[in-house]
């Protein structure tokens, strides 16, 4: 299996993770990245490269 770099995430980018494999997460971009990646771009990111955020709905 070859490693392919699609691009780099910007610290302000918002992603959602849908799969975990060891210390890696498969993530998808929610909006266009500050670095130019298109919304919906999917790739693998190491766990140490992510900062968890919690979303809440307040009524």
């Amino acid at each position: 299996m070859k490693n392919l770099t699609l691009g780099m995430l910007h610290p302000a980018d918002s992603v959602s993770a849908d799969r975990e494999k060891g210390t890696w997460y498969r993530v998808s971009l929610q909006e266009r990245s500050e670095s130019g990646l298109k919304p919906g771009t999917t790739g693998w990111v190491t766990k140490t490269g992510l900062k968890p955020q919690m979303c809440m709905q307040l009524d």
Side-chain angles (χ1 to χ4, degrees):
M1 181 177 184
K2 281 186 175 181
N3 291 331
L4 175 66
T5 301
L6 299 175
M8 293 185 66
L9 292 173
H10 187 273
D13 290 342
S14 178
V15 298
S16 61
D18 67 352
R19 196 174 293 170
E20 179 181 0
K21 188 171 185 177
T23 60
W24 291 83
Y25 288 103
R26 188 174 79 167
V27 298
S28 296
L29 276 171
Q30 301 301 303
E31 299 175 2
R32 185 174 184 88
S33 172
E34 296 265 342
S35 64
L37 293 170
K38 295 179 182 179
T41 299
T42 301
W44 291 86
V45 177
T46 184
K47 184 177 184 176
T48 58
L50 297 174
K51 182 174 117 183
Q53 293 184 353
M54 184 186 318
C55 297
M56 296 172 40
Q57 179 178 348
L58 301 175
D59 295 324

